[in-house]
Amino acid sequence: MSAVHDLVDDPINFLNNNIVIVGFEAFGSKHISQPGGVEFLTLLTIDTSKVIGLQTGKKLPVYKLLPSKTRKNSFKSYWCPYQREDTLGITVSNKADFMFSAEMNGCSFGVGSEGKGGSRLVYHSNMGSSAPKGMQAETQGQALKDKMGNSLQSIIAPKNYRIEAGQSYLSSTTFGVRNKKNGKWTFYAHVYEMREASYSNPPVILNPKKCFLRGVRKLVG
């Protein structure tokens, strides 16, 4: 079975045993989401010469999430847009059973109250540079309140996915899964630590980065 099939078949189990990093360059400011935010995504294996996935001493596969040009080996998902120093969002409903957004390593994510058929408004906020020093989470929270108004139910702040043992170094591939039976959405953080590559001897050779999986954390739903 392919990684895409395994993800679709049991997303929580897959994301507790594999690492999925959003292909940041593919979902940059030039990326045009499809109408309604639904598009086809795929998984690309990242070579171990670039990233080594680890968890409690064992090695794990590491995948990059990318938009797919074809429906082959892909799955339908909502894409919550992202742009630096902005707060952008979509409505998730019954057009797809998954939602993903850009990697969060300081951003905030807003989830609206449940609407008809389980639909929800979701927004991704990044105010890392424009926020006053030490006020990023608060600034993003206010931006989400301004955008989402009374529909805002929950804010996923950096403290909800980024803090471990008093340190702020974790990242999240934030995703949602729709229950096909009742239409309800649940949102999660797929949390990992990316350690920067160290230099070997001689120093011109760059070692692969090490990515440590912390697992899936249920956030809203």
Side-chain angles (χ1 to χ4, degrees):
M1 296 294 181
S2 69
V4 167
H5 177 276
D6 291 342
L7 171 63
V8 172
D9 184 59
D10 191 344
I12 306 305
N13 180 65
F14 182 84
L15 290 166
N16 267 320
N17 292 281
N18 298 270
I19 300 172
V20 175
I21 300 171
V22 176
F24 217 60
E25 72 290 348
F27 291 106
S29 59
K30 294 183 180 179
H31 176 72
I32 301 175
S33 294
Q34 299 302 309
V38 176
E39 53 190 290
F40 285 88
L41 307 180
T42 191
L43 296 173
L44 177 68
T45 302
I46 300 179
D47 191 274
T48 53
S49 65
K50 297 180 180 179
V51 179
I52 297 175
L54 299 167
Q55 186 184 46
T56 59
K58 64 180 180 180
K59 291 186 178 180
L60 300 176
V62 183
Y63 298 95
K64 183 182 288 187
L65 182 76
L66 299 166
S68 178
K69 296 180 180 179
T70 70
R71 297 190 180 188
K72 184 178 180 180
N73 196 34
S74 64
F75 66 101
K76 188 185 292 187
S77 174
Y78 287 96
W79 172 252
C80 183
Y82 160 87
Q83 190 164 317
R84 288 178 57 85
E85 309 307 321
D86 206 347
T87 301
L88 304 173
I90 56 167
T91 298
V92 296
S93 59
N94 60 359
K95 302 299 182 184
D97 296 324
F98 298 93
M99 183 234 68
F100 282 88
S101 191
E103 175 192 47
M104 301 205 314
N105 54 20
C107 302
S108 298
F109 191 80
V111 179
S113 56
E114 190 172 274
K116 184 178 180 180
S119 64
R120 288 179 183 263
L121 193 62
V122 293
Y123 268 80
H124 187 147
S125 182
N126 172 281
M127 297 292 174
S129 299
S130 57
K133 186 175 181 180
M135 296 289 289
Q136 181 178 353
E138 291 81 359
T139 303
Q140 290 168 174
Q142 186 58 54
L144 290 168
K145 293 175 183 177
D146 293 342
K147 288 280 188 177
M148 302 177 72
N150 293 333
S151 71
L152 179 61
Q153 177 185 350
S154 302
I155 295 177
I156 300 167
K159 66 179 181 180
N160 300 120
Y161 64 87
R162 192 160 170 75
I163 305 299
E164 184 176 89
Q167 301 181 52
S168 300
Y169 58 77
L170 303 182
S171 298
S172 168
T173 296
T174 306
F175 70 101
V177 178
R178 176 180 176 270
N179 186 310
K180 295 180 181 180
K181 294 181 179 179
N182 59 24
K184 293 182 179 296
W185 281 89
T186 304
F187 298 89
Y188 305 86
H190 173 64
V191 183
Y192 57 89
E193 173 198 357
M194 181 70 78
R195 293 186 186 174
E196 292 299 320
S198 59
Y199 286 90
S200 301
N201 187 20
V204 294
I205 300 175
L206 191 64
N207 288 333
K209 293 182 179 180
K210 293 182 179 180
C211 188
F212 294 85
L213 179 65
R214 294 293 188 263
V216 173
R217 299 177 183 176
K218 183 178 177 180
L219 299 170
V220 180

